[in-house]
């Protein structure tokens, strides 16, 4: 198992938490992660692009000039593809870009991405970014910068953690996610991943009273 220090709001270390090896020390398959990320990006595409073909462009019903005697190439319509305002040949049409990727593949790709970050020491855990329930962006950023100065940071929060969410949502270098929305793409495009203890427990499916905070208390007692 990988052991990570739990940072406090004051920048101190309050015990450690062990990251399960089956999630944070799994084999990373680059082809699998690539397939899952491509499928995720394709699923985000609307697919509503449309260009009009020659038959759909308005006008152009009349022959622009006579067939012979002008010295120019023969033309049948000013809406032909070679004319400005004419139709588009083989243009984009509405389509569905969705690719089928099953749940096991998505889970394996996410484990591989998290394991890659964990092996490089780019997984961090913090108790919270602010004290109390009042959002404070300046204080939250101070705690975050005490952990990492990376330009792209993925911060994973618990679903009901509104104070930390409001504190960090306007920072351009930070991408916020709820624990149950964690995905391969967002992990791979981020330089560092920071969990709150509540978010880590939520992601691992551990009740709060038996999660990372409890491990930290036991470490303190020891």
């Amino acid at each position: 198992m990988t052991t990570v220090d739990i940072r406090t709001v004051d920048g101190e270390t309050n015990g450690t938490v062990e990251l399960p090896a089956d999630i944070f020390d799994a084999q990373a398959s680059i082809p699998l992660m690539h397939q899952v990320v491509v499928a995720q990006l394709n699923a985000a595409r609307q697919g509503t692009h449309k260009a009009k073909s020659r038959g759909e462009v308005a006008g152009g019903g009349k022959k622009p000039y006579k067939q012979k005697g002008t010295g120019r190439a023969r033309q049948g319509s000013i809406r032909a593809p070679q004319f400005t305002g004419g139709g588009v040949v083989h243009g984009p049409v509405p389509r569905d870009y969705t690719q089928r990727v099953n749940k096991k593949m998505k889970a394996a790709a996410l484990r591989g991405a998290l394991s890659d970050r964990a092996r490089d020491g780019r997984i961090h855990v913090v108790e919270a970014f602010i004290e109390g329930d009042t959002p404070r962006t300046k204080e939250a950023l101070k705690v975050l910068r005490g952990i990492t100065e990376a330009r792209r940071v993925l911060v994973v929060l618990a679903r009901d953690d509104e104070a930390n969410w409001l504190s960090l949502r306007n920072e351009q270098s930070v991408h916020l996610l709820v624990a149950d929305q964690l995905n391969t793409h967002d992990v791979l495009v981020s330089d560092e991943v920071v969990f709150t203890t509540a978010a880590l427990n939520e992601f691992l499916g551990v009740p709060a009273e038996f999660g990372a905070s409890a491990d930290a208390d036991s470490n303190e007692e020891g």
Side-chain angles (χ1 to χ4, degrees):
M1 286 189 178
T2 303
T3 302
V4 177
D5 293 335
I6 301 177
R7 303 292 292 273
T8 66
V9 176
D10 299 325
E12 304 294 332
T13 300
N14 183 22
T16 60
V17 58
E18 291 185 348
L19 303 178
D22 58 339
I23 298 177
F24 293 93
D25 193 19
Q27 182 177 0
S29 172
I30 295 178
L32 175 60
M33 290 190 290
H34 176 268
Q35 182 178 353
V36 170
V37 169
V38 169
Q40 181 180 345
L41 294 178
N42 282 344
R45 299 184 66 174
Q46 289 184 328
T48 55
H49 40 46
K50 177 70 172 70
K52 290 184 178 181
S53 66
R54 180 173 178 171
E56 296 170 324
V57 179
K62 179 182 177 181
K63 189 175 178 66
Y65 47 83
K66 63 181 182 178
Q67 182 82 347
K68 295 179 179 295
T70 64
R72 291 180 290 180
R74 56 192 177 188
Q75 302 293 341
S77 171
I78 61 172
R79 293 296 180 256
Q82 67 268 26
F83 287 106
T84 300
V88 178
V89 179
H90 305 305
V93 294
R95 55 166 291 191
D96 183 10
Y97 285 92
T98 303
Q99 295 182 5
R100 292 179 60 87
V101 179
N102 61 46
K103 293 181 179 179
K104 289 184 177 180
M105 295 173 65
K106 292 179 181 179
L110 178 56
R111 288 196 299 268
L114 290 173
S115 298
D116 177 74
R117 293 296 182 262
R119 279 190 282 268
D120 290 341
R122 292 191 280 174
I123 299 287
H124 310 278
V125 180
V126 62
E127 287 184 345
F129 292 96
I130 60 171
E131 293 180 340
D133 297 328
T134 303
R136 294 183 177 87
T137 299
K138 185 176 181 179
E139 294 183 8
L141 287 177
K142 182 179 179 181
V143 174
L144 181 62
R145 295 312 175 200
I147 299 173
T148 176
E149 292 287 345
R151 296 179 59 185
R152 293 174 296 184
V153 182
L154 174 62
V155 175
V156 187
L157 302 174
R159 178 161 289 279
D160 59 351
D161 194 353
E162 184 176 358
N164 283 300
W165 186 283
L166 294 176
S167 298
L168 291 171
R169 66 177 180 177
N170 290 329
E171 173 57 32
Q172 294 184 352
S173 64
V174 175
H175 181 56
L176 295 175
L177 275 183
V178 178
D180 57 12
Q181 295 178 341
L182 194 59
N183 60 84
T184 305
H185 174 262
D186 287 326
V187 172
L188 292 178
V189 299
S190 300
D191 298 320
E192 306 276 346
V193 181
V194 181
F195 287 87
T196 61
T197 52
L200 182 60
N201 293 336
E202 191 172 298
F203 174 67
L204 298 176
V206 181
E209 61 269 22
F210 300 110
S213 58
D215 293 339
D217 294 338
S218 63
N219 289 333
E220 285 184 349
E221 293 175 0

